[in-house]
Amino acid sequence: MDKQQVLIIEDDREICQLLADFLQAHGYAVHCQYDGRDLLKRLETLQPAVVLLDLMLPYQSGDSLLAEIRRVSTVLVLIISAKETTQNKIDLLRLGADDYITKPFDLEEVLTRIESNLRRVHLQSAQRTLLQFEDLVLDMDNHTAYLKQVPLSLTAKEFAILALLMAHPNKIFSKTNLFQSVWHAEYTCEDNTLNVHISNLRNKLKAICPEQAYIDTVWGIGYRLHKVED
């Protein structure tokens, strides 16, 4: 069985090596990077299961790198930082971090956080053959969609957009991220293709269930699955 890849982005070489040695001893293949230069190319090459990201980095801050990662990837990102204010943690989690570990950290805690997040992703992946939100159901194996048990006639792109939103119900997708994930091409702000597909998808959903929202527009950012208020 291939080892899972972990990419550590940490400018303190001693801390980076300490983490690398410990995680390698527990069966991971670990790669160290000391700044954020060419990070997206490195992600594409390594395809890591987990990124451990420090915030205080040369050339480009960790939170800026996190935003870049989230525009193109859903890889697990665990922040490791000495910044421990609650607001800072909240901001980073909203930006797309999956977890937050405060320095100084315990190595066993880092390992446990990695394992628990990977376990969660594995469970979500195992359950992904059938996605459901309210009365909306996608059968990923048969590529069919139903709303209130009524079949939905969706194009391949509409189905892919809806599947992506439903597979990550708490994530806000930028237009760039959505377009690249579904069309596998570069997005330009002049391209209205995504907006047209979202509009058509909403119209098809409203035709069956006009009173229910399924896709939220997050102004200035992108789209997400409708957030149900508690």
Side-chain angles (χ1 to χ4, degrees):
M1 184 177 177
D2 293 338
K3 293 182 177 180
Q4 289 183 297
Q5 308 283 327
V6 176
L7 176 61
I8 304 172
I9 309 167
E10 164 65 70
D11 65 326
D12 188 316
R13 292 173 182 259
E14 186 176 341
I15 291 176
C16 203
Q17 195 59 54
L18 182 70
L19 280 166
D21 290 344
F22 182 77
L23 294 175
Q24 283 169 349
H26 285 80
Y28 293 91
V30 184
H31 309 267
C32 286
Q33 184 165 329
Y34 306 111
D35 57 57
R37 290 179 293 183
D38 297 320
L39 173 59
L40 298 186
K41 289 182 181 178
R42 193 87 187 273
L43 286 177
E44 187 176 354
T45 302
L46 289 177
Q47 294 291 308
V50 181
V51 173
L52 299 181
L53 177 63
D54 185 31
L55 292 181
M56 304 298 289
L57 295 167
Y59 305 108
Q60 190 173 356
S61 66
D63 51 355
S64 174
L65 287 172
L66 174 60
E68 281 193 8
I69 292 171
R70 281 296 170 251
R71 280 195 285 270
V72 298
S73 174
T74 57
V75 63
L76 278 174
V77 179
L78 279 62
I79 301 295
I80 297 184
S81 175
K83 294 182 178 181
E84 56 180 344
T85 65
T86 300
Q87 188 57 51
N88 195 62
K89 293 179 183 179
I90 291 171
D91 290 343
L92 285 159
L93 290 171
R94 284 177 173 164
L95 193 58
D98 293 282
D99 209 342
Y100 193 108
I101 302 167
T102 304
K103 292 180 180 178
F105 52 79
D106 180 87
L107 289 170
E108 288 288 348
E109 180 191 2
V110 176
L111 178 63
T112 301
R113 296 286 188 97
I114 289 174
E115 290 174 341
S116 64
N117 277 282
L118 285 173
R119 197 158 49 241
R120 173 177 58 79
V121 168
H122 177 74
L123 288 171
Q124 288 177 344
S125 179
Q127 297 167 354
R128 205 161 288 165
T129 55
L130 197 67
L131 298 175
Q132 183 166 1
F133 171 71
E134 300 289 334
D135 293 319
L136 176 62
V137 178
L138 297 192
D139 186 327
M140 302 301 291
D141 291 333
N142 297 319
H143 213 264
T144 53
Y146 298 88
L147 179 55
K148 292 186 177 294
Q149 300 183 341
V150 177
L152 276 168
S153 178
L154 303 179
T155 67
K157 297 301 185 190
E158 290 166 356
F159 188 94
I161 291 169
L162 203 51
L164 195 59
L165 295 177
M166 290 174 68
H168 304 279
N170 297 314
K171 177 175 168 54
I172 299 172
F173 286 87
S174 69
K175 291 184 177 181
T176 300
N177 194 185
L178 258 179
F179 192 87
Q180 289 176 338
S181 297
V182 174
W183 275 267
H184 306 291
E186 289 299 316
Y187 174 78
T188 59
C189 58
E190 295 84 9
D191 193 332
N192 200 39
T193 303
L194 176 61
N195 293 340
V196 171
H197 278 73
I198 293 285
S199 177
N200 290 341
L201 187 51
R202 281 174 165 157
N203 288 336
K204 289 179 180 181
L205 294 167
K206 283 182 179 179
I208 297 173
C209 188
E211 72 278 4
Q212 172 70 51
Y214 291 93
I215 301 173
D216 289 342
T217 298
V218 183
W219 297 108
I221 303 177
Y223 301 99
R224 62 169 296 156
L225 192 68
H226 178 63
K227 186 174 179 62
V228 179
E229 299 297 334
D230 296 330

